[in-house]
PDB file of all heavy atoms in Angstrom:
ATOM      1  N   ILE A   7      84.061 123.895  78.999  1.00 98.00           N
ATOM      2  CA  ILE A   7      84.829 124.331  77.822  1.00 98.00           C
ATOM      3  C   ILE A   7      85.530 125.638  78.199  1.00 98.00           C
ATOM      4  O   ILE A   7      84.883 126.594  78.644  1.00 98.00           O
ATOM      5  CB  ILE A   7      83.903 124.569  76.618  1.00 98.00           C
ATOM      6  CG1 ILE A   7      83.079 123.325  76.314  1.00 98.00           C
ATOM      7  CG2 ILE A   7      84.713 125.013  75.401  1.00 98.00           C
ATOM      8  CD1 ILE A   7      81.886 123.597  75.425  1.00 98.00           C
ATOM      9  N   LEU A   8      86.834 125.679  78.015  1.00 98.00           N
ATOM     10  CA  LEU A   8      87.607 126.901  78.292  1.00 98.00           C
ATOM     11  C   LEU A   8      87.966 127.567  76.964  1.00 98.00           C
ATOM     12  O   LEU A   8      88.646 126.947  76.127  1.00 98.00           O
ATOM     13  CB  LEU A   8      88.847 126.562  79.089  1.00 98.00           C
ATOM     14  CG  LEU A   8      89.815 127.718  79.368  1.00 98.00           C
ATOM     15  CD1 LEU A   8      89.104 128.870  80.110  1.00 98.00           C
ATOM     16  CD2 LEU A   8      91.036 127.237  80.158  1.00 98.00           C
ATOM     17  N   ILE A   9      87.503 128.786  76.759  1.00 98.00           N
ATOM     18  CA  ILE A   9      87.789 129.560  75.557  1.00 98.00           C
ATOM     19  C   ILE A   9      88.806 130.639  75.891  1.00 98.00           C
ATOM     20  O   ILE A   9      88.639 131.375  76.858  1.00 98.00           O
ATOM     21  CB  ILE A   9      86.505 130.190  74.987  1.00 98.00           C
ATOM     22  CG1 ILE A   9      85.554 129.099  74.509  1.00 98.00           C
ATOM     23  CG2 ILE A   9      86.829 131.177  73.863  1.00 98.00           C
ATOM     24  CD1 ILE A   9      84.212 129.605  74.054  1.00 98.00           C
ATOM     25  N   VAL A  10      89.860 130.752  75.075  1.00 98.00           N
ATOM     26  CA  VAL A  10      90.942 131.684  75.359  1.00 98.00           C
ATOM     27  C   VAL A  10      91.192 132.566  74.131  1.00 98.00           C
ATOM     28  O   VAL A  10      91.503 132.056  73.052  1.00 98.00           O
ATOM     29  CB  VAL A  10      92.249 130.936  75.734  1.00 98.00           C
ATOM     30  CG1 VAL A  10      93.268 131.923  76.279  1.00 98.00           C
ATOM     31  CG2 VAL A  10      91.996 129.808  76.695  1.00 98.00           C
ATOM     32  N   ASP A  11      91.042 133.864  74.327  1.00 97.00           N
ATOM     33  CA  ASP A  11      91.301 134.806  73.230  1.00 97.00           C
ATOM     34  C   ASP A  11      91.469 136.187  73.849  1.00 97.00           C
ATOM     35  O   ASP A  11      90.725 136.555  74.762  1.00 97.00           O
ATOM     36  CB  ASP A  11      90.168 134.817  72.205  1.00 97.00           C
ATOM     37  CG  ASP A  11      90.590 135.378  70.855  1.00 97.00           C
ATOM     38  OD1 ASP A  11      91.029 136.529  70.822  1.00 97.00           O
ATOM     39  OD2 ASP A  11      90.452 134.653  69.866  1.00 97.00           O
ATOM     40  N   ASP A  12      92.425 136.963  73.333  1.00 96.00           N
ATOM     41  CA  ASP A  12      92.619 138.309  73.883  1.00 96.00           C
ATOM     42  C   ASP A  12      91.580 139.270  73.396  1.00 96.00           C
ATOM     43  O   ASP A  12      91.404 140.372  73.966  1.00 96.00           O
ATOM     44  CB  ASP A  12      94.014 138.829  73.540  1.00 96.00           C
ATOM     45  CG  ASP A  12      94.251 138.926  72.045  1.00 96.00           C
ATOM     46  OD1 ASP A  12      94.094 137.913  71.344  1.00 96.00           O
ATOM     47  OD2 ASP A  12      94.597 140.027  71.579  1.00 96.00           O
ATOM     48  N   ALA A  13      90.822 138.922  72.349  1.00 96.00           N
ATOM     49  CA  ALA A  13      89.773 139.796  71.816  1.00 96.00           C
ATOM     50  C   ALA A  13      88.427 139.399  72.415  1.00 96.00           C
ATOM     51  O   ALA A  13      87.955 138.262  72.242  1.00 96.00           O
ATOM     52  CB  ALA A  13      89.722 139.697  70.293  1.00 96.00           C
ATOM     53  N   ALA A  14      87.808 140.327  73.112  1.00 96.00           N
ATOM     54  CA  ALA A  14      86.530 140.048  73.757  1.00 96.00           C
ATOM     55  C   ALA A  14      85.467 139.615  72.750  1.00 96.00           C
ATOM     56  O   ALA A  14      84.617 138.746  73.045  1.00 96.00           O
ATOM     57  CB  ALA A  14      86.035 141.290  74.540  1.00 96.00           C
ATOM     58  N   MET A  15      85.500 140.184  71.553  1.00 95.00           N
ATOM     59  CA  MET A  15      84.498 139.847  70.526  1.00 95.00           C
ATOM     60  C   MET A  15      84.558 138.356  70.183  1.00 95.00           C
ATOM     61  O   MET A  15      83.514 137.704  70.061  1.00 95.00           O
ATOM     62  CB  MET A  15      84.758 140.669  69.257  1.00 95.00           C
ATOM     63  CG  MET A  15      83.794 140.366  68.131  1.00 95.00           C
ATOM     64  SD  MET A  15      84.192 141.257  66.598  1.00 95.00           S
ATOM     65  CE  MET A  15      85.724 140.422  66.124  1.00 95.00           C
ATOM     66  N   PHE A  16      85.772 137.824  70.041  1.00 95.00           N
ATOM     67  CA  PHE A  16      85.875 136.394  69.701  1.00 95.00           C
ATOM     68  C   PHE A  16      85.508 135.503  70.881  1.00 95.00           C
ATOM     69  O   PHE A  16      84.936 134.428  70.699  1.00 95.00           O
ATOM     70  CB  PHE A  16      87.276 136.080  69.193  1.00 95.00           C
ATOM     71  CG  PHE A  16      87.554 136.595  67.809  1.00 95.00           C
ATOM     72  CD1 PHE A  16      88.448 137.638  67.619  1.00 95.00           C
ATOM     73  CD2 PHE A  16      86.931 136.065  66.719  1.00 95.00           C
ATOM     74  CE1 PHE A  16      88.698 138.140  66.358  1.00 95.00           C
ATOM     75  CE2 PHE A  16      87.166 136.547  65.446  1.00 95.00           C
ATOM     76  CZ  PHE A  16      88.063 137.589  65.242  1.00 95.00           C
ATOM     77  N   ARG A  17      85.844 135.929  72.081  1.00 96.00           N
ATOM     78  CA  ARG A  17      85.410 135.137  73.264  1.00 96.00           C
ATOM     79  C   ARG A  17      83.904 135.049  73.327  1.00 96.00           C
ATOM     80  O   ARG A  17      83.332 133.984  73.591  1.00 96.00           O
ATOM     81  CB  ARG A  17      85.956 135.770  74.555  1.00 96.00           C
ATOM     82  CG  ARG A  17      87.474 135.739  74.682  1.00 96.00           C
ATOM     83  CD  ARG A  17      87.920 135.980  76.129  1.00 96.00           C
ATOM     84  NE  ARG A  17      87.446 137.237  76.675  1.00 96.00           N
ATOM     85  CZ  ARG A  17      88.111 138.387  76.580  1.00 96.00           C
ATOM     86  NH1 ARG A  17      89.250 138.431  75.929  1.00 96.00           N
ATOM     87  NH2 ARG A  17      87.645 139.496  77.157  1.00 96.00           N
ATOM     88  N   GLU A  18      83.229 136.182  73.086  1.00 96.00           N
ATOM     89  CA  GLU A  18      81.767 136.209  73.142  1.00 96.00           C
ATOM     90  C   GLU A  18      81.167 135.390  72.002  1.00 96.00           C
ATOM     91  O   GLU A  18      80.184 134.664  72.198  1.00 96.00           O
ATOM     92  CB  GLU A  18      81.281 137.637  73.067  1.00 96.00           C
ATOM     93  CG  GLU A  18      81.657 138.473  74.302  1.00 96.00           C
ATOM     94  CD  GLU A  18      81.402 139.944  74.128  1.00 96.00           C
ATOM     95  OE1 GLU A  18      80.856 140.334  73.069  1.00 96.00           O
ATOM     96  OE2 GLU A  18      81.739 140.727  75.030  1.00 96.00           O
ATOM     97  N   LEU A  19      81.744 135.496  70.810  1.00 95.00           N
ATOM     98  CA  LEU A  19      81.228 134.760  69.653  1.00 95.00           C
ATOM     99  C   LEU A  19      81.355 133.265  69.851  1.00 95.00           C
ATOM    100  O   LEU A  19      80.375 132.503  69.662  1.00 95.00           O
ATOM    101  CB  LEU A  19      81.986 135.195  68.394  1.00 95.00           C
ATOM    102  CG  LEU A  19      81.502 134.568  67.076  1.00 95.00           C
ATOM    103  CD1 LEU A  19      80.085 134.978  66.741  1.00 95.00           C
ATOM    104  CD2 LEU A  19      82.454 134.950  65.930  1.00 95.00           C
ATOM    105  N   GLU A  20      82.516 132.793  70.272  1.00 96.00           N
ATOM    106  CA  GLU A  20      82.720 131.371  70.475  1.00 96.00           C
ATOM    107  C   GLU A  20      81.872 130.850  71.640  1.00 96.00           C
ATOM    108  O   GLU A  20      81.370 129.718  71.602  1.00 96.00           O
ATOM    109  CB  GLU A  20      84.208 131.083  70.706  1.00 96.00           C
ATOM    110  CG  GLU A  20      85.048 131.342  69.467  1.00 96.00           C
ATOM    111  CD  GLU A  20      86.530 131.237  69.740  1.00 96.00           C
ATOM    112  OE1 GLU A  20      86.928 130.433  70.612  1.00 96.00           O
ATOM    113  OE2 GLU A  20      87.313 131.932  69.065  1.00 96.00           O
ATOM    114  N   SER A  21      81.719 131.685  72.684  1.00 97.00           N
ATOM    115  CA  SER A  21      80.856 131.293  73.807  1.00 97.00           C
ATOM    116  C   SER A  21      79.424 131.114  73.339  1.00 97.00           C
ATOM    117  O   SER A  21      78.723 130.169  73.778  1.00 97.00           O
ATOM    118  CB  SER A  21      80.918 132.362  74.892  1.00 97.00           C
ATOM    119  OG  SER A  21      82.220 132.469  75.452  1.00 97.00           O
ATOM    120  N   LEU A  22      78.958 131.983  72.475  1.00 96.00           N
ATOM    121  CA  LEU A  22      77.602 131.871  71.919  1.00 96.00           C
ATOM    122  C   LEU A  22      77.458 130.594  71.084  1.00 96.00           C
ATOM    123  O   LEU A  22      76.479 129.855  71.232  1.00 96.00           O
ATOM    124  CB  LEU A  22      77.280 133.099  71.057  1.00 96.00           C
ATOM    125  CG  LEU A  22      75.907 133.146  70.401  1.00 96.00           C
ATOM    126  CD1 LEU A  22      74.806 133.182  71.447  1.00 96.00           C
ATOM    127  CD2 LEU A  22      75.791 134.352  69.470  1.00 96.00           C
ATOM    128  N   PHE A  23      78.448 130.314  70.240  1.00 96.00           N
ATOM    129  CA  PHE A  23      78.418 129.098  69.412  1.00 96.00           C
ATOM    130  C   PHE A  23      78.348 127.836  70.263  1.00 96.00           C
ATOM    131  O   PHE A  23      77.688 126.868  69.902  1.00 96.00           O
ATOM    132  CB  PHE A  23      79.660 129.045  68.519  1.00 96.00           C
ATOM    133  CG  PHE A  23      79.682 130.028  67.393  1.00 96.00           C
ATOM    134  CD1 PHE A  23      80.852 130.248  66.664  1.00 96.00           C
ATOM    135  CD2 PHE A  23      78.555 130.732  67.029  1.00 96.00           C
ATOM    136  CE1 PHE A  23      80.883 131.155  65.610  1.00 96.00           C
ATOM    137  CE2 PHE A  23      78.559 131.662  65.986  1.00 96.00           C
ATOM    138  CZ  PHE A  23      79.729 131.854  65.282  1.00 96.00           C
ATOM    139  N   LEU A  24      79.058 127.844  71.407  1.00 96.00           N
ATOM    140  CA  LEU A  24      79.225 126.612  72.194  1.00 96.00           C
ATOM    141  C   LEU A  24      78.337 126.561  73.425  1.00 96.00           C
ATOM    142  O   LEU A  24      78.493 125.651  74.266  1.00 96.00           O
ATOM    143  CB  LEU A  24      80.690 126.478  72.613  1.00 96.00           C
ATOM    144  CG  LEU A  24      81.694 126.327  71.466  1.00 96.00           C
ATOM    145  CD1 LEU A  24      83.123 126.398  71.989  1.00 96.00           C
ATOM    146  CD2 LEU A  24      81.460 125.018  70.717  1.00 96.00           C
ATOM    147  N   ALA A  25      77.388 127.478  73.528  1.00 95.00           N
ATOM    148  CA  ALA A  25      76.552 127.577  74.729  1.00 95.00           C
ATOM    149  C   ALA A  25      75.794 126.274  75.005  1.00 95.00           C
ATOM    150  O   ALA A  25      75.567 125.921  76.166  1.00 95.00           O
ATOM    151  CB  ALA A  25      75.569 128.728  74.581  1.00 95.00           C
ATOM    152  N   ARG A  26      75.395 125.546  73.979  1.00 93.00           N
ATOM    153  CA  ARG A  26      74.631 124.315  74.167  1.00 93.00           C
ATOM    154  C   ARG A  26      75.515 123.083  74.310  1.00 93.00           C
ATOM    155  O   ARG A  26      75.012 121.987  74.569  1.00 93.00           O
ATOM    156  CB  ARG A  26      73.677 124.103  72.994  1.00 93.00           C
ATOM    157  CG  ARG A  26      72.572 125.176  72.915  1.00 93.00           C
ATOM    158  CD  ARG A  26      71.570 124.820  71.824  1.00 93.00           C
ATOM    159  NE  ARG A  26      70.496 125.792  71.756  1.00 93.00           N
ATOM    160  CZ  ARG A  26      69.460 125.714  70.919  1.00 93.00           C
ATOM    161  NH1 ARG A  26      69.390 124.683  70.067  1.00 93.00           N
ATOM    162  NH2 ARG A  26      68.521 126.612  70.928  1.00 93.00           N
ATOM    163  N   SER A  27      76.817 123.260  74.139  1.00 94.00           N
ATOM    164  CA  SER A  27      77.712 122.106  74.233  1.00 94.00           C
ATOM    165  C   SER A  27      78.190 121.837  75.647  1.00 94.00           C
ATOM    166  O   SER A  27      78.584 120.709  75.974  1.00 94.00           O
ATOM    167  CB  SER A  27      78.956 122.331  73.307  1.00 94.00           C
ATOM    168  OG  SER A  27      78.542 122.396  71.966  1.00 94.00           O
ATOM    169  N   GLY A  28      78.191 122.860  76.504  1.00 94.00           N
ATOM    170  CA  GLY A  28      78.642 122.699  77.865  1.00 94.00           C
ATOM    171  C   GLY A  28      78.733 124.003  78.596  1.00 94.00           C
ATOM    172  O   GLY A  28      78.289 125.051  78.102  1.00 94.00           O
ATOM    173  N   ARG A  29      79.355 123.982  79.764  1.00 96.00           N
ATOM    174  CA  ARG A  29      79.529 125.206  80.550  1.00 96.00           C
ATOM    175  C   ARG A  29      80.779 125.900  80.049  1.00 96.00           C
ATOM    176  O   ARG A  29      81.878 125.367  80.094  1.00 96.00           O
ATOM    177  CB  ARG A  29      79.675 124.859  82.043  1.00 96.00           C
ATOM    178  CG  ARG A  29      79.861 126.062  82.948  1.00 96.00           C
ATOM    179  CD  ARG A  29      79.713 125.649  84.406  1.00 96.00           C
ATOM    180  NE  ARG A  29      80.746 124.704  84.817  1.00 96.00           N
ATOM    181  CZ  ARG A  29      81.901 125.072  85.369  1.00 96.00           C
ATOM    182  NH1 ARG A  29      82.180 126.340  85.590  1.00 96.00           N
ATOM    183  NH2 ARG A  29      82.770 124.157  85.741  1.00 96.00           N
ATOM    184  N   VAL A  30      80.621 127.132  79.566  1.00 97.00           N
ATOM    185  CA  VAL A  30      81.701 127.866  78.942  1.00 97.00           C
ATOM    186  C   VAL A  30      82.352 128.838  79.923  1.00 97.00           C
ATOM    187  O   VAL A  30      81.658 129.612  80.582  1.00 97.00           O
ATOM    188  CB  VAL A  30      81.216 128.624  77.696  1.00 97.00           C
ATOM    189  CG1 VAL A  30      82.364 129.445  77.083  1.00 97.00           C
ATOM    190  CG2 VAL A  30      80.646 127.661  76.662  1.00 97.00           C
TER     191      VAL A  30
END
Side-chain angles (χ1 to χ4, degrees):
I7 305 162
L8 176 57
I9 294 174
V10 192
D11 200 302
D12 61 304
M15 178 185 70
F16 286 111
R17 295 197 302 271
E18 293 169 4
L19 182 64
E20 292 173 31
S21 296
L22 179 63
F23 288 167
L24 297 172
R26 294 186 178 182
S27 296
R29 181 169 63 93
V30 177

